[in-house]
């Protein structure tokens, strides 16, 4: 499948009811040949209105971390588990994830990243392991399906202001940036 075909499939998707209430499909954005891919949960209001992932408050905070560790946002690919906004920003449901995950898998197949970073526990539970505990296991790297994978706190959790989480996030992001630069150098 090509990028265009995949995006059209997402836009026209009727596999779950979220497609009926969305404003825009939030397909994904960034470098289609990225070494590093981030996977969040689902679009929020700003993303639903713009069609672009991580552009609201959580996205701005993610941008700050990327800036601090000197990873250009344009150089990574950012997608979500769900391509359509769940009403009132509730967590993505299992059945919605089941229906939507094939689109994400196809995006990963097309990008062929070296590293996949889950933003928050929802994508970590789906992509790394079902009993993933974000407070204990963030920043731990595993090799899975030919990728190096880890998870970090979701930026919207960090917005709620726990200073320790923010410090841990910065340390995790520094490790991500180091690995990213190593991969870029050896590419
Ligand atoms: N939260 C997410 O998980 N994804 C977005 O795109 C925005 C907020």
């Amino acid at each position: 499948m090509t990028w265009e075909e995949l995006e059209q499939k997402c836009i026209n998707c009727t596999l779950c009811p979220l497609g009926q209430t969305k404003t825009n499909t939030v397909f994904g954005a960034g470098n289609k040949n990225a070494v590093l891919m981030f996977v969040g949960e689902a679009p929020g209001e700003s993303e639903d209105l713009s069609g672009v992932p991580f552009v609201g408050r959580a996205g701005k905070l993610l941008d700050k971390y990327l800036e601090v560790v000197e990873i250009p946002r344009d150089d990574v690919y950012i997608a979500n588990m769900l391509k359509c906004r769940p009403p009132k920003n509730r967590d993505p449901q299992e059945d919605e994830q089941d229906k939507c995950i094939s689109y994400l898998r196809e995006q990963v197949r097309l990008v062929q990243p070296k590293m996949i970073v889950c933003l928050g526990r929802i994508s970590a539970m789906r992509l790394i392991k079902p009993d993933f505990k974000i407070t204990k296991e963030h920043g731990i790297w595993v090799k899975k399906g030919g990728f190096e994978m880890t998870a970090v706190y979701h930026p919207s959790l960090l917005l709620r202001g726990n200073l320790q989480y923010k410090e841990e996030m910065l340390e995790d992001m520094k490790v991500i940036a180091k690995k990213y630069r190593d991969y870029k150098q050896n590419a």
Side-chain angles (χ1 to χ4, degrees), residues 26 39-48 52-59 73 78-82 89 92 119-120 122-123 154-156:
V26 181
V39 180
E41 291 177 12
E45 187 181 19
S46 311
E47 292 77 21
D48 177 62
V52 182
F54 283 98
V55 291
R57 284 183 69 219
R73 177 166 164 146
I78 305 181
N80 281 307
M81 300 289 304
L82 299 192
N89 294 352
L119 292 165
I122 301 269
S123 55
H154 194 288
S156 53

Side-chain angles (χ1 to χ4, degrees), residues 117-131:
V117 176
C118 300
L119 292 165
R121 73 186 169 89
I122 301 269
S123 55
M125 287 167 73
R126 192 71 196 211
L127 301 181
I128 300 178
K129 57 175 186 159
D131 60 347

Side-chain angles (χ1 to χ4, degrees), residues 9-26 43 48 82-87 90 96 99-100 103:
K9 262 193 142 184
C10 288
I11 290 170
N12 298 320
C13 180
T14 54
L15 292 177
C16 86
L18 296 183
Q20 289 164 24
T21 49
K22 74 180 172 194
T23 311
N24 285 295
T25 306
V26 181
D48 177 62
L82 299 192
K83 310 303 186 219
C84 298
R85 182 191 183 199
R90 62 157 170 74
E96 292 161 351
K99 303 245 164 75
C100 215
Y103 300 132

